[in-house]
Amino acid sequence: MKEKENFYYPSEEFKKRALINKKDVYAQAAKNPVKFWEKMAKELFWFKKWKKGFVHNPPYFQWFSGGRINITSNIFENNSLGFERIKNKVALIWEPENEEEKEKKLTYYDLFREICRFSNALKKLGVKKGDRVGIYLPMIPEATVAMLACARLGAVHSVVFSAFSPRSLQVRLQDNEAKVLITADGYYRRGQIVDLKKNADQALDQTKVEKLIVVKRAKNKIAWQEGRDVWYEDITKDEEDFCPAEEMDSEDMHFILYTSGSTGKPKGCVHTCGGYAVQAYYTAKWIFDLKEDDIFWSTADLGWITGHTYSCYGPLLCGVSFIMFEGAPDFPVPDRWVRIIEKYGVTTFYTAPTAIRMFEQMGAEKFLNDKRMKTLQILGSVGEPIDEAAWQWYFKEVGREKCPLVDTWWQTETGGILITALPGIGPFKPAFAGLPFPGIKAEILDEQGKPCPPDKQGNLVLLPPFSPSLLRGIYKNDEKYKETYWSRYGDKIYFTSDSAYKDKEGLIRIVGRVDDVIKVAGHRVSTGELEAAINAHQEITECAVIGVADKIKGEVPAAFVVYNGSLLPQDIKDQIIAQIKKEIGPIALPKEVYLVKDLPKTRSGKIMRRILKKLLTGEDLGDLSTLSNPEVVEGIKKIIGSDNSDG
Ligand code: WTA
């Protein structure tokens, strides 16, 4: 790697092997982004070619309008590498949490036949094109099979992360009105069995789910509801191993994935068939420089967008072998992730800054050495800003200064990576995501909508033609779609809700969210959602949740709670934690719960979260005259001080 003023460029040797190594790809794509994407789309298989590349009817738009496609045909029988060539090659390598248990390897052909059997079984249960199917599964091969089987039929999958609580699952199933849910008996997490079926059972009340398909994984004892519950094994074993692909319109719905916004209610991001397939394929191929012999490992769970695009669809479309790991990267030993890289000779490793900081803190130097990671060729980061120290550690200790490090910015809404360096071009600049991907127009605007000069922070936006994989709507909530993305700067500019700035070369650095979303260990949660969960507790009068910086997790929630005093402080704190676990799950528990008498408010009654944040960081509070109750500030200060000194 060549270093230049704190930038790095790929080595000549790397450049030679890279699929894309000439800078002019940016200029060419910028000349006519629609043409660029159309050229890209031609590499995929379409039952019928599209009539128009991009149709804009603000704030709505379409890509490859009139085209007909199925993503699974592009993964299997019409894979761009040729099905005959890849059919007996390993697609999915599954590494169980328990190292004593044997790994599983499924070839493209195995996977194809398995998804067809499951598609046929789903059909028999009455699942048709357009029907929504819930997927609530751990990281096991059947989760991939379930997603692809839905796509084969044109059914809309909606995956819910297995660590979400029954209540979270229920809210999503109520919104998407799925008739079928696919789950497992249980799964392993840090040596313990999690009873997932029990969670699923609890979630089904007041939903439209008629059939619950259960995959046998942990063989734990589960409750069974005759007539509703069926074993995956039983319904698939006698099915035919071929099922024709449904010819989907490019703009037909492919999947719904819920994510957090500024309110308590999660939003169902709608992604469509054609644009998503094109973007997933190209970004995976170019950004990870995927070649036939690569072993790709994206550590993201399928329950998140990164899991959809880069732990499933992207690598499959590129015909590579990829890893799915059931467990936690530091279990049962801190270097489990290194052992996996070593065991399979991983070439491309894609993970989140929280994991990187965690590895660093473990003192990974003790177990990192040149030999163990020698197969690595590209490193990736995603999900939250990567600070310079973590970047340098990842680049130097894991990548041995030889691997291009691509810091990839995108969102559940964008469906695929939009801002990053390309590995064969660079530059790789610590803490900077880099340039917009070829064919993407991003800008940083000030409050008035004027482009910001270099180094000035503003709001990150996308300009037409956006991206083929940008969301087409929020399921059953058009108002929210318009208000969230298309009102800040009008209906022709997509507002990302991220703040960013550019350097003189135009490389973009993401600063963080400007709304109420916080990224806790890379997981997207909203403070509004947490507040709604806490407020559901009877003894709570009101509360405010804010995000505070955390060394490892990036950000963590802190809650300020006013309660009626009927319980002991420790009891109410414990109950608040239990309440969040129940309403959301264990993914975003507050680091601190402060019990306060009142919250700082404006005269119109708005809670001033900004002041709470400043109280925690010790920043100057500024002018308090807009508060209706400035006297509460001193009291909160004392509570923060005493809680922190308690440990
Ligand atoms: C943040 C995850 C800095 C950002 C793919 C965005 C990042 C939100 C990066 C979306 C990055 C994602 N650098 N921040 N490389 N990637 N983010 O929907 O705030 O879970 O808006 O999608 O994560 O989170 P989501």
Side-chain angles (χ1 to χ4, degrees), residues 416-443:
I417 298 167
L418 297 193
I419 302 177
T420 181
L422 289 175
I425 299 177
F428 317 108
K429 180 173 176 178
F432 281 73
L435 296 175
F437 189 80
I440 300 296
K441 283 197 203 166
E443 193 45 273

Short mmCIF file of all heavy atoms in Angstrom, two decimals, residues 416-443:
data_model
loop_
_atom_site.label_atom_id
_atom_site.label_comp_id
_atom_site.label_asym_id
_atom_site.label_seq_id
_atom_site.Cartn_x
_atom_site.Cartn_y
_atom_site.Cartn_z
N GLY A 416 -28.14 -0.66 -0.79
CA GLY A 416 -26.78 -1.07 -1.16
C GLY A 416 -25.84 0.09 -0.84
O GLY A 416 -26.28 1.21 -0.56
N ILE A 417 -24.54 -0.21 -0.93
CA ILE A 417 -23.52 0.79 -0.59
C ILE A 417 -23.57 1.94 -1.60
O ILE A 417 -23.65 1.71 -2.81
CB ILE A 417 -22.12 0.14 -0.62
CG1 ILE A 417 -22.04 -0.97 0.43
CG2 ILE A 417 -21.02 1.18 -0.42
CD1 ILE A 417 -20.83 -1.88 0.30
N LEU A 418 -23.49 3.17 -1.10
CA LEU A 418 -23.50 4.32 -2.00
C LEU A 418 -22.24 5.18 -1.92
O LEU A 418 -21.91 5.89 -2.86
CB LEU A 418 -24.71 5.23 -1.75
CG LEU A 418 -26.10 4.65 -1.99
CD1 LEU A 418 -27.13 5.76 -2.00
CD2 LEU A 418 -26.17 3.88 -3.29
N ILE A 419 -21.57 5.18 -0.78
CA ILE A 419 -20.35 5.98 -0.68
C ILE A 419 -19.23 5.09 -0.12
O ILE A 419 -19.39 4.49 0.94
CB ILE A 419 -20.55 7.21 0.24
CG1 ILE A 419 -21.70 8.09 -0.28
CG2 ILE A 419 -19.26 8.03 0.35
CD1 ILE A 419 -22.01 9.30 0.58
N THR A 420 -18.14 5.03 -0.85
CA THR A 420 -17.00 4.20 -0.44
C THR A 420 -15.85 4.42 -1.41
O THR A 420 -16.04 4.95 -2.50
CB THR A 420 -17.38 2.70 -0.48
OG1 THR A 420 -16.26 1.93 -0.04
CG2 THR A 420 -17.75 2.23 -1.88
N ALA A 421 -14.67 3.97 -1.01
CA ALA A 421 -13.57 3.92 -1.98
C ALA A 421 -13.70 2.62 -2.76
O ALA A 421 -14.32 1.67 -2.27
CB ALA A 421 -12.24 3.94 -1.23
N LEU A 422 -13.15 2.56 -3.96
CA LEU A 422 -13.08 1.28 -4.68
C LEU A 422 -11.68 0.71 -4.43
O LEU A 422 -10.69 1.45 -4.49
CB LEU A 422 -13.34 1.48 -6.18
CG LEU A 422 -14.80 1.82 -6.52
CD1 LEU A 422 -14.95 2.13 -8.00
CD2 LEU A 422 -15.73 0.68 -6.12
N PRO A 423 -11.60 -0.59 -4.14
CA PRO A 423 -10.32 -1.14 -3.66
C PRO A 423 -9.16 -1.02 -4.65
O PRO A 423 -8.02 -0.84 -4.24
CB PRO A 423 -10.64 -2.61 -3.38
CG PRO A 423 -11.89 -2.89 -4.12
CD PRO A 423 -12.64 -1.61 -4.18
N GLY A 424 -9.47 -1.07 -5.94
CA GLY A 424 -8.38 -0.99 -6.93
C GLY A 424 -8.02 0.43 -7.30
O GLY A 424 -7.14 0.66 -8.13
N ILE A 425 -8.72 1.41 -6.72
CA ILE A 425 -8.47 2.81 -7.06
C ILE A 425 -8.02 3.62 -5.84
O ILE A 425 -7.05 4.36 -5.88
CB ILE A 425 -9.72 3.46 -7.71
CG1 ILE A 425 -10.10 2.73 -9.01
CG2 ILE A 425 -9.47 4.95 -7.99
CD1 ILE A 425 -11.35 3.25 -9.69
N GLY A 426 -8.75 3.47 -4.71
CA GLY A 426 -8.44 4.28 -3.54
C GLY A 426 -8.92 5.70 -3.76
O GLY A 426 -9.70 5.95 -4.70
N PRO A 427 -8.47 6.70 -3.01
CA PRO A 427 -7.62 6.52 -1.83
C PRO A 427 -8.42 6.03 -0.62
O PRO A 427 -9.63 6.20 -0.58
CB PRO A 427 -7.09 7.93 -1.57
CG PRO A 427 -8.17 8.83 -2.07
CD PRO A 427 -8.79 8.11 -3.24
N PHE A 428 -7.69 5.44 0.32
CA PHE A 428 -8.30 5.01 1.57
C PHE A 428 -7.81 5.99 2.63
O PHE A 428 -6.62 6.04 2.93
CB PHE A 428 -7.88 3.57 1.88
CG PHE A 428 -7.93 2.70 0.65
CD1 PHE A 428 -6.77 2.27 0.03
CD2 PHE A 428 -9.15 2.37 0.08
CE1 PHE A 428 -6.81 1.50 -1.13
CE2 PHE A 428 -9.21 1.60 -1.09
CZ PHE A 428 -8.03 1.17 -1.69
N LYS A 429 -8.74 6.77 3.11
CA LYS A 429 -8.36 7.81 4.06
C LYS A 429 -9.05 7.54 5.39
O LYS A 429 -10.28 7.43 5.43
CB LYS A 429 -8.78 9.17 3.50
CG LYS A 429 -8.41 10.33 4.41
CD LYS A 429 -8.71 11.66 3.73
CE LYS A 429 -8.45 12.80 4.68
NZ LYS A 429 -8.65 14.10 4.09
N PRO A 430 -8.29 7.41 6.47
CA PRO A 430 -8.88 7.06 7.76
C PRO A 430 -10.08 7.94 8.11
O PRO A 430 -10.00 9.16 7.97
CB PRO A 430 -7.75 7.30 8.75
CG PRO A 430 -6.51 7.15 7.95
CD PRO A 430 -6.84 7.60 6.57
N ALA A 431 -11.17 7.31 8.51
CA ALA A 431 -12.40 7.95 8.96
C ALA A 431 -13.23 8.58 7.84
O ALA A 431 -14.30 9.12 8.09
CB ALA A 431 -12.12 8.97 10.07
N PHE A 432 -12.75 8.51 6.59
CA PHE A 432 -13.53 9.02 5.46
C PHE A 432 -14.10 7.85 4.66
O PHE A 432 -13.38 6.92 4.34
CB PHE A 432 -12.65 9.86 4.53
CG PHE A 432 -12.40 11.24 5.05
CD1 PHE A 432 -11.54 11.45 6.12
CD2 PHE A 432 -13.05 12.33 4.49
CE1 PHE A 432 -11.32 12.73 6.63
CE2 PHE A 432 -12.84 13.61 4.99
CZ PHE A 432 -11.97 13.81 6.06
N ALA A 433 -15.40 7.93 4.36
CA ALA A 433 -15.99 6.87 3.55
C ALA A 433 -15.47 6.95 2.11
O ALA A 433 -15.25 5.94 1.47
CB ALA A 433 -17.51 6.96 3.57
N GLY A 434 -15.26 8.15 1.62
CA GLY A 434 -14.70 8.30 0.27
C GLY A 434 -15.65 8.95 -0.70
O GLY A 434 -16.43 9.83 -0.32
N LEU A 435 -15.61 8.51 -1.95
CA LEU A 435 -16.43 9.13 -3.00
C LEU A 435 -17.73 8.37 -3.19
O LEU A 435 -17.79 7.17 -2.92
CB LEU A 435 -15.67 9.09 -4.33
CG LEU A 435 -14.37 9.87 -4.44
CD1 LEU A 435 -13.71 9.60 -5.79
CD2 LEU A 435 -14.62 11.38 -4.27
N PRO A 436 -18.75 9.05 -3.73
CA PRO A 436 -19.95 8.31 -4.11
C PRO A 436 -19.59 7.25 -5.15
O PRO A 436 -18.74 7.49 -6.00
CB PRO A 436 -20.86 9.39 -4.72
CG PRO A 436 -20.37 10.68 -4.14
CD PRO A 436 -18.90 10.50 -3.94
N PHE A 437 -20.22 6.10 -5.06
CA PHE A 437 -20.02 5.01 -6.01
C PHE A 437 -20.32 5.55 -7.42
O PHE A 437 -21.19 6.41 -7.58
CB PHE A 437 -20.98 3.89 -5.63
CG PHE A 437 -20.78 2.60 -6.36
CD1 PHE A 437 -19.77 1.72 -5.98
CD2 PHE A 437 -21.60 2.25 -7.44
CE1 PHE A 437 -19.59 0.51 -6.65
CE2 PHE A 437 -21.42 1.04 -8.12
CZ PHE A 437 -20.40 0.17 -7.72
N PRO A 438 -19.62 5.07 -8.44
CA PRO A 438 -19.92 5.56 -9.79
C PRO A 438 -21.43 5.49 -10.09
O PRO A 438 -22.08 4.50 -9.75
CB PRO A 438 -19.14 4.59 -10.70
CG PRO A 438 -18.01 4.11 -9.85
CD PRO A 438 -18.53 4.07 -8.45
N GLY A 439 -21.95 6.54 -10.66
CA GLY A 439 -23.38 6.57 -10.98
C GLY A 439 -24.24 7.14 -9.86
O GLY A 439 -25.45 7.25 -10.02
N ILE A 440 -23.61 7.49 -8.73
CA ILE A 440 -24.36 8.05 -7.60
C ILE A 440 -23.98 9.52 -7.44
O ILE A 440 -22.80 9.87 -7.46
CB ILE A 440 -24.03 7.30 -6.28
CG1 ILE A 440 -24.36 5.81 -6.39
CG2 ILE A 440 -24.72 7.95 -5.08
CD1 ILE A 440 -25.82 5.50 -6.58
N LYS A 441 -25.00 10.35 -7.28
CA LYS A 441 -24.73 11.77 -7.06
C LYS A 441 -25.12 12.13 -5.63
O LYS A 441 -26.31 12.13 -5.28
CB LYS A 441 -25.58 12.61 -8.01
CG LYS A 441 -25.07 12.65 -9.43
CD LYS A 441 -25.77 13.82 -10.09
CE LYS A 441 -25.84 13.70 -11.57
NZ LYS A 441 -26.78 14.66 -12.13
N ALA A 442 -24.12 12.44 -4.82
CA ALA A 442 -24.40 12.83 -3.43
C ALA A 442 -23.89 14.25 -3.25
O ALA A 442 -22.95 14.67 -3.92
CB ALA A 442 -23.70 11.89 -2.47
N GLU A 443 -24.49 15.00 -2.35
CA GLU A 443 -24.07 16.37 -2.11
C GLU A 443 -24.23 16.68 -0.62
O GLU A 443 -24.96 15.97 0.09
CB GLU A 443 -24.93 17.31 -2.99
CG GLU A 443 -24.46 18.72 -3.14
CD GLU A 443 -22.96 18.88 -3.40
OE1 GLU A 443 -22.20 18.94 -2.41
OE2 GLU A 443 -22.57 18.97 -4.58
#
